[in-house]
């Protein structure tokens, strides 16, 4: 728990922020995850060990040395459970097994053992909101209205098709004289309700048709899902990233969600998910799940996929000291807020807000659902330089940092150019307005050779990005100034430097529109200066007196500077210094 403090910037402005750590003493008793770098792996795309064009667990195992060299503390593995792959693993048909295309349980055990030998923790993705329609639970539930699992999913009789004021989405989904009970839409397009003749009812699916939502108001569902979580905790996993947890519950009256202006990629009305998202009951599940996880030794961790519009709502996911919930709700505002841009003012405001939570912040700028940050924050000319600035902001802030495979080398988004090449269901239904998420899921680029060293197959599940000839791990390890070695340097600094590891953040020169400056406090403070502009900028006055020592600099010219007096920051540069 932290305390609010007020601190003055060099311009006399005050910055209100949450300081959760003693700035002068190392937090030696902190759990392993509190200062971690978490690395997301999309298993289909990381490493293919058997030449079938699809990544697998042994492919992850084969590259653990690279992750150890980078300084990764934990890997988050996207779903690897048995699945029909309608949504590439997020439609799970068995929570307690490994999909054969990814390997066996023995392969997983070897991976976990090898990771632990390298001091890398293993975190699994857990999809609690929905299953595959191939899951045995749903097959039984869909078979009749009176089977033992008949109430394990969200079923409804629908309403008469001649009911007034049906939405267009409802009118397109009429069966046997019945329309869906409300206007709720699937995130992948169309009505969120699917008709099943055997039951003469609709089931609810927030996401794809093949992903029916579980009925979390049935205690048997919670018991079964917690049982699956126990299965993996008993195997020694270090925690879970919880997918889509905000939508576990739906309004019991199934009221229509209010419409917002405009339409989505499928041409349907935008909705305000007032009755189908973020209902308060979900926090009770999180408290009970936290109690379960805390009953295991080894500081297991819960990471939440928590897209929230403001820091106050994000803070609620931490719970309280008496009733804790998630240790690490994802702060996705910095990287994915609707106004996110490569801008000093944007990054300053979001980082300031990130400190205002009752726990350790977790910052995310890349994941498997969004175009890669090098493209979102780049300008097409200075992409690597800008990526170094973004990496410095992520890795020198007081927060757990989450990165995504390929981000440390600057992998770019390779969006399909033809609808017939799209694999992602979002792109299939949303083309051309939404071309899907294939572009950020292309195979990992290990080498400049055939298929980027990802696979020996001439045809991989998604095409390898042609820029692997210059953007790849093997070559970047050899280049001291590469984006990969920049990441490695910053990761080592955040691990070893007391101020960067444990110190609070003091934001300085807060009115500067071009340069973001903050100080990480400690016996020997560290100053971070990030120039977001395309021209050289003077270093703000009186930031650090006397001689300085450069800890990291994205530009060679900064490494020999002895004082901040009259110094300037080159365009798109990052500079991390301490007193000499």
């Amino acid at each position: 728990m932290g305390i609010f403090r007020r601190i003055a910037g060099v311009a006399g402005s005050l910055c209100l922020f949450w300081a959760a750590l003693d700035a002068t003493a190392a937090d030696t008793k902190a759990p392993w995850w509190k200062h971690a770098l978490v690395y997301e792996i999309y298993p289909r795309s990381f490493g293919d060990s058997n030449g079938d064009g699809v990544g697998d667990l042994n492919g992850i195992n084969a590259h653990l040395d690279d992750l150890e060299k980078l300084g990764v503390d934990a890997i988050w593995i996207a779903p690897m459970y048995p699945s029909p792959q309608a949504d590439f693993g997020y439609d799970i048909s068995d929570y307690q097994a490994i999909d054969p295309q990814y390997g066996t349980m023995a392969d997983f055990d070897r991976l976990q053992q090898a990771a632990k030998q390298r001091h890398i923790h293993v975190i699994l993705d857990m999809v609690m909101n929905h299953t595959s329609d191939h899951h045995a639970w749903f097959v039984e539930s869909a078979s009749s209205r009176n089977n033992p699992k008949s109430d394990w999913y969200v079923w409804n009789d629908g309403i008469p098709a001649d009911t007034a004021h049906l939405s267009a989405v409802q009118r397109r989904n009429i069966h046997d004289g019945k329309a869906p009970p409300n206007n709720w839409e699937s995130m992948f397009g169309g009505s969120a309700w699917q008709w099943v003749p055997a039951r003469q009812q609709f089931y609810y699916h927030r996401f794809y048709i093949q992903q029916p939502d579980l009925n979390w108001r049935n205690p048997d569902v919670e018991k079964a899902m917690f049982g699956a979580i126990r299965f993996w905790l008993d195997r020694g996993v270090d925690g879970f990233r919880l997918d889509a947890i905000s939508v576990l519950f739906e309004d019991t009256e199934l009221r229509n969600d209010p419409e917002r202006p405009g339409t989505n990629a499928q041409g349907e009305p935008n909705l305000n998910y007032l009755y189908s998202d973020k209902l308060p009951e979900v926090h009770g599940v999180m408290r009970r799940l936290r109690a379960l996880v805390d009953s295991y030794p080894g500081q297991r961790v819960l990471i939440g996929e928590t897209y929230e519009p403001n820091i106050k709502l994000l803070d609620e996911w931490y719970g309280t000291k008496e009733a804790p919930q998630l240790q690490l709700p994802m702060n996705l505002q910095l990287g994915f807020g609707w106004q996110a841009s490569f801008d000093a003012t944007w990054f300053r405001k979001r980082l300031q807000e990130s400190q205002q939570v009752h726990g350790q912040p977790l910052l995310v700028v890349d994941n498997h659902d969004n175009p890669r940050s090098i493209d979102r924050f780049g300008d097409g000319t200075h992409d690597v330089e800008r990526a170094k600035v973004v990496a410095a902001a992520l890795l020198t802030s007081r927060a757990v940092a989450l990165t995504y495979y390929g981000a440390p080398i600057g992998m770019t988004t390779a969006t399909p150019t033809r609808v017939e090449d799209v694999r992602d269901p979002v792109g299939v239904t949303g083309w051309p307005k939404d071309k899907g998420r294939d572009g950020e899921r292309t195979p990992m680029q290990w080498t400049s050779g055939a298929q980027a060293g990802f696979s020996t197959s001439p045809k991989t599940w998604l095409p390898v990005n042609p820029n692997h000839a210059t953007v790849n791990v093997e070559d970047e390890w050899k280049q001291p100034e590469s984006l990969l070695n920049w990441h490695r340097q910053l990761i080592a600094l955040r691990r070893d430097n007391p101020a960067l590891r444990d110190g609070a953040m003091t934001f300085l020169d807060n009115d500067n529109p071009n340069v973001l400056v903050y100080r990480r406090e400690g016996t020997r403070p560290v100053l971070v200066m990030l120039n977001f502009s395309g021209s050289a900028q003077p270093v703000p006055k009186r930031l650090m007196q006397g001689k300085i020592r450069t800890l990291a600099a994205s530009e060679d010219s900064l490494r020999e500077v002895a004082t901040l007096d009259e110094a300037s920051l080159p365009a798109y540069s990052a500079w991390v210094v301490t007193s000499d």
Side-chain angles (χ1 to χ4, degrees):
M1 298 287 282
I3 56 170
F4 280 108
R5 298 178 180 173
R6 290 193 176 271
I7 37 184
V10 294
S13 62
L14 296 178
C15 173
L16 184 64
F17 75 103
W18 195 272
L21 302 170
D22 186 331
T24 61
D27 194 0
T28 56
K29 295 182 180 180
W32 67 265
W33 47 262
K34 196 162 190 179
H35 308 289
L37 172 69
V38 181
Y39 185 104
E40 181 192 353
I41 292 175
Y42 201 69
R44 299 182 67 84
S45 296
F46 197 66
D48 171 19
S49 71
N50 60 6
D52 65 356
V54 177
D56 46 51
L57 295 179
N58 288 334
I60 298 173
N61 201 342
H63 292 290
L64 287 178
D65 286 341
D66 279 295
L67 299 183
E68 181 183 27
K69 183 176 181 180
L70 180 60
V72 169
D73 297 298
I75 53 175
W76 150 29
I77 305 174
M80 58 186 188
Y81 318 100
S83 167
Q85 303 295 321
D87 192 21
F88 298 112
Y90 284 91
D91 51 319
I92 298 170
S93 57
D94 185 349
Y95 285 93
Q96 300 182 21
I98 303 295
D99 194 303
Q101 69 178 324
Y102 296 143
T104 65
M105 190 64 75
D107 293 331
F108 174 78
D109 291 341
R110 283 191 294 271
L111 169 60
Q112 188 168 231
Q113 182 180 13
K116 290 185 184 302
Q117 289 172 350
R118 293 165 174 80
H119 307 288
I120 296 174
H121 297 263
V122 175
I123 296 169
L124 299 186
D125 221 320
M126 183 54 64
V127 184
M128 300 169 63
N129 176 69
H130 51 265
T131 70
S132 165
D133 61 350
H134 284 56
H135 197 293
W137 297 346
F138 184 75
V139 172
E140 181 175 354
S141 185
S143 67
S144 69
R145 295 195 186 197
N146 56 9
N147 66 81
K149 292 185 172 56
S150 62
D151 195 32
W152 279 43
Y153 293 83
V154 181
W155 294 96
N156 189 269
D157 291 340
I159 57 179
D162 58 1
T163 300
H165 308 302
L166 291 181
S167 70
V169 171
Q170 287 171 289
R171 288 194 296 272
R172 288 197 298 268
N173 197 19
I174 291 173
H175 298 272
D176 293 352
K178 295 292 184 66
N182 58 29
N183 70 340
W184 295 354
E185 299 169 358
S186 164
M187 296 294 289
F188 293 169
S191 172
W193 297 92
Q194 180 71 11
W195 181 255
V196 174
R199 287 189 54 138
Q200 289 289 293
Q201 285 185 309
F202 294 92
Y203 69 81
Y204 175 63
H205 59 94
R206 172 73 174 200
F207 298 98
Y208 215 44
I209 291 171
Q210 291 92 338
Q211 295 169 302
D213 275 46
L214 287 160
N215 176 17
W216 275 86
R217 298 188 187 279
N218 184 336
D220 289 339
V221 168
E222 179 172 311
K223 182 178 179 181
M225 188 59 67
F226 280 23
I229 290 170
R230 284 187 182 276
F231 174 85
W232 293 104
L233 290 171
D234 290 340
R235 295 195 82 89
V237 302
D238 294 297
F240 300 93
R241 177 264 189 184
L242 305 177
D243 178 72
I245 53 171
S246 71
V247 296
L248 292 190
F249 289 87
E250 302 79 32
D251 177 47
T252 56
E253 299 178 35
L254 300 182
R255 286 170 283 188
N256 283 341
D257 278 332
E259 292 190 9
R260 296 188 291 112
T263 58
N264 60 24
Q266 291 77 27
E268 296 155 355
N270 290 322
L271 298 181
N272 174 13
Y273 301 116
L274 182 64
Y275 298 113
S276 59
D277 190 8
K278 299 176 184 174
L279 272 65
E281 293 93 327
V282 68
H283 294 285
V285 175
M286 294 301 102
R287 288 190 289 270
R288 294 188 291 276
L289 180 57
R290 175 63 179 274
L292 168 60
V293 170
D294 284 349
S295 71
Y296 281 78
Q299 301 169 334
R300 316 296 175 96
V301 65
L302 293 175
I303 299 173
E305 182 187 27
T306 44
Y307 283 94
E308 293 291 0
N310 60 63
I311 204 68
K312 181 179 182 297
L313 291 174
L314 181 69
D315 192 37
E316 294 178 3
W317 288 100
Y318 288 90
T320 64
K321 182 177 181 180
E322 295 75 21
Q325 297 182 42
L326 306 177
Q327 290 100 330
L328 296 173
M330 288 182 180
N331 185 329
L332 297 150
Q333 298 164 18
L334 175 68
F336 309 116
W338 70 277
Q339 291 181 314
S341 60
F342 187 79
D343 175 81
T345 301
W346 170 266
F347 271 72
R348 180 184 298 113
K349 180 173 176 57
R350 297 286 86 80
L351 289 177
Q352 287 174 340
E353 290 175 348
S354 76
Q355 304 302 295
Q356 299 171 14
V357 293
H358 292 74
Q360 183 74 345
L362 167 59
L363 295 174
V364 187
V365 296
D366 278 285
N367 65 15
H368 64 277
D369 283 332
N370 293 276
R372 290 182 176 274
S373 64
I374 195 168
D375 298 306
R376 287 183 287 110
F377 293 127
D379 63 357
T381 302
H382 309 93
D383 292 352
V384 172
E385 293 90 339
R386 287 178 169 218
K388 287 184 176 182
V389 174
V390 173
L394 176 69
L395 296 170
T396 64
S397 295
R398 187 190 73 84
V400 173
L402 194 151
T403 192
Y404 180 49
Y405 84 93
I409 63 171
M411 278 182 61
T412 57
T413 313
T415 304
T417 58
R418 305 184 310 166
V419 66
E420 54 264 38
D421 297 329
V422 176
R423 302 290 303 278
D424 179 27
V426 176
V428 171
T429 61
W431 189 277
K433 186 174 181 181
D434 186 340
K435 297 181 179 180
R437 301 163 293 181
D438 292 338
E440 53 264 28
R441 299 175 177 182
T442 55
M444 179 64 179
Q445 297 167 202
W446 295 105
T447 72
S448 60
Q451 302 295 48
F454 162 75
S455 174
T456 59
S457 172
K459 184 175 178 60
T460 52
W461 84 280
L462 284 175
V464 173
N465 193 325
N467 71 6
H468 75 275
T470 55
V471 180
N472 64 78
V473 173
E474 183 178 55
D475 289 345
E476 290 197 30
W477 277 138
K478 300 172 184 176
Q479 302 163 5
E481 304 305 315
S482 69
L483 183 59
L484 180 60
N485 276 309
W486 176 247
H487 275 81
R488 184 188 185 192
Q489 181 182 8
L490 292 174
I491 292 165
L493 270 177
R494 65 183 266 120
R495 180 185 62 236
D496 298 333
N497 183 281
L500 285 175
R501 178 178 172 83
D502 296 316
M505 292 179 73
T506 302
F507 292 87
L508 308 171
D509 198 33
N510 290 322
D511 296 324
N512 193 322
N514 300 309
V515 179
L516 170 60
V517 184
Y518 50 86
R519 186 173 62 236
R520 298 298 305 278
E521 306 292 0
T523 303
R524 179 167 288 187
V526 170
L527 192 66
V528 179
M529 295 165 282
L530 308 175
N531 183 4
F532 284 78
S533 78
S535 60
Q537 297 293 321
V539 171
K541 301 297 184 183
R542 298 182 298 278
L543 291 178
M544 187 171 283
Q545 302 298 317
K547 291 186 176 181
I548 61 164
R549 177 165 57 91
T550 294
L551 300 176
S554 63
E555 290 286 337
D556 276 339
S557 60
L558 295 171
R559 294 190 177 98
E560 303 304 320
V561 177
T563 72
L564 295 185
D565 297 337
E566 308 304 323
S568 66
L569 290 165
Y572 305 131
S573 65
W575 196 14
V576 185
V577 305
T578 190
S579 57
D580 197 356

